[in-house]
Amino acid sequence: MPDTVTLLIDPVPADAVDVDLGATFRPVDATEPALRVGELSTQRGDGIFETIGVVDGHAQEVRPHLERLRNSARICELPEPNLAQWEAAIATALAGLPQTGEFGIKLVLSRGVEHGPAPTAWLAASRAADFSGPREHGIRVVTLDRGYDRGAAERAPWLLLGAKTLSYAVNMAAIREAKRRGADDTVFVSSDGYAMEGPTSSVILRRDGVYATPAPSGAILHGTTQQSLFEHLAATGERVEYRDIPIDELRTADAAWLVSSVRLAAGITALDGEPMPYDAETTAGFNAYLLTPRD
Ligand code: PLP
């Protein structure tokens, strides 16, 4: 069975009825050309995406990912996605992947070709990298200035801050800067001094036995992994809270993690070169939970 599945999708309107959804997408060879050069996703990063983790044939948290795709589309003024169509495409991809091991399914919805009438969309599934190192031994993190304050999303909605847009060049540059500084990853800090998120992950810390994550202000993405983990923690009697987190609180936390859909939970072992307490047992528990089938 191949390790990749790529589907080109012809997006149907959100309110479409009596459509044979299976006929709205088709497999393509990912090594062959499939997009037109006028694609605004490639020319301008003008589109949105989601990355869903797959564990042993189960796609994790599909609904929360699709709800976030819909929210990103709303922010970017793209046509509302038909969630049933995306679910059908995901089911087709899962059927074409090996039923053991970890994979990532990327969903992309682009504004389409310039002056073209319709958006374009595709799904690309492939085997996940081996993240046993970060999961078991943690990551070194540096803080980097995000260049705007927590209120920027409300003040300047055209910055599209709460949307998961394809424009990740800045996020990738931040990871390169982290590596230049001898670290593995980064936590963005707002210009008014608050912890925000990683370039591809959410931040969670624990202080005095309470788990906290930055309040979803519209300036950061609301992570599906963080939400799933908080539901699990609350269900097992732990205290969780959303609030503003001054960056110095992260420095003095009992433990902290970056969490995301495919790498899952990675404990922070050092922040800006200073060692941080690393809770191996809790991290192992987080990852054991995150590897169970979740909807
Ligand atoms: N924040 C940003 C900027 C991200 O890119 C991601 C995931 O890629 C996350 C947070 C974590 O989201 P999730 O847990 O849904 O993967």
Side-chain angles (χ1 to χ4, degrees), residues 65 68 164 168 197-202 221 223-225 259-261:
H65 279 287
R68 193 170 63 188
K164 195 166 167 69
Y168 261 43
E197 61 186 347
T200 61
S201 57
S202 309
L221 277 191
T224 61
T225 317
V259 304
S260 51
S261 291

Side-chain angles (χ1 to χ4, degrees), residues 27-61:
V28 292
D29 180 345
T31 62
E32 295 291 326
L35 297 176
R36 286 159 293 181
V37 287
E39 249 302 310
L40 291 169
S41 55
T42 54
Q43 289 195 21
R44 295 190 176 142
D46 194 353
I48 55 176
F49 77 105
E50 282 294 323
T51 303
I52 300 176
V54 176
V55 181
D56 296 340
H58 184 88
Q60 307 281 46
E61 305 280 352

Side-chain angles (χ1 to χ4, degrees), residues 139-225:
I139 49 174
R140 295 155 303 170
V141 167
V142 291
T143 57
L144 292 180
D145 184 356
R146 191 68 177 94
Y148 49 72
D149 62 81
R150 277 168 312 158
E154 285 74 34
R155 210 174 50 246
W158 52 88
L159 295 179
L160 308 178
L161 295 180
K164 195 166 167 69
T165 75
L166 291 168
S167 314
Y168 261 43
V170 168
N171 303 42
M172 298 301 106
I175 293 176
R176 288 197 298 276
E177 178 62 24
K179 296 206 164 139
R180 245 188 316 271
R181 297 184 188 195
D184 308 297
D185 210 332
T186 174
V187 168
F188 284 129
V189 185
S190 66
S191 58
D192 47 347
Y194 291 85
M196 300 184 83
E197 61 186 347
T200 61
S201 57
S202 309
V203 183
I204 296 176
L205 62 80
R206 190 182 65 222
R207 272 177 84 90
D208 304 324
V210 181
Y211 293 89
T213 196
S217 64
I220 61 173
L221 277 191
H222 202 173
T224 61
T225 317

